[in-house]
Amino acid sequence: MSQTEYREPSGWATGAVLFAGILMIIIGIFEAFQGLNAIFEDQFYVVTENYIFDIDVTAWGWIHLILGVLVIFGGYAVMAGRTWGRILALILAAIAAIANFVYIPYYPFWSILMIALAIWVIWALTSRWEEVRA
């Protein structure tokens, strides 16, 4: 029987995953603050008319608050080095990107920034998957 040889992951791969975990925690905090702002100060956002996703701003606030807490949890799981944490983080980053895409009419610049950060997290977690897993 042959034994699998252990290889130490490169610093780039480890650093990218660690940075993705930290960035997920930051994204989660931003999402939670965005949600709290929409819950308590719903007049802050300008609601456009005739938008296909006509959801109340307070409802969006709860969506972002819950999503933010989950993304923070996913970031901690990634930093703990768990494989299930990386998979959870990929799913949550994709959901965050989609939620912010639908949220663009309410707060365009911020939503586009959050989409870009979520896509960067997805890239960082998948770019060297095999190397970090080994």
Side-chain angles (χ1 to χ4, degrees), residues 17 20-21 24 70-71 73-96 118 121-122 124-126 129-130 132-133:
V17 171
M24 282 199 66
L70 291 174
V71 170
F73 174 72
Y76 280 119
V78 167
M79 289 177 37
R82 306 284 186 242
T83 301
W84 62 266
R86 289 181 73 187
I87 294 169
L88 176 67
L90 287 170
I91 293 168
L92 289 174
I95 291 171
V121 166
I122 292 169
L125 291 175
T126 58
W129 185 277
E130 289 298 321
V132 173
R133 196 178 78 171

Side-chain angles (χ1 to χ4, degrees), residues 25-57:
I25 292 171
I26 293 169
I27 290 170
I29 292 169
F30 286 162
E31 289 279 350
F33 282 149
Q34 184 177 358
L36 289 172
N37 191 28
I39 291 170
F40 296 119
E41 280 293 325
D42 59 349
Q43 299 301 319
F44 176 78
Y45 298 100
V46 177
V47 180
T48 59
E49 298 201 15
N50 298 327
Y51 185 59
I52 193 165
F53 301 105
D54 189 23
I55 299 175
D56 182 49
V57 174

Side-chain angles (χ1 to χ4, degrees), residues 5 8-9 12 14 17 35 41 49-50 55 69 85 89 92 96 102-103 109 111 116 118 123 134:
E5 185 178 317
E8 188 71 29
W12 283 103
T14 308
V17 171
E41 280 293 325
E49 298 201 15
N50 298 327
I55 299 175
V69 170
L92 289 174
V102 176
Y103 197 69
F109 178 74
S111 294
W123 173 82

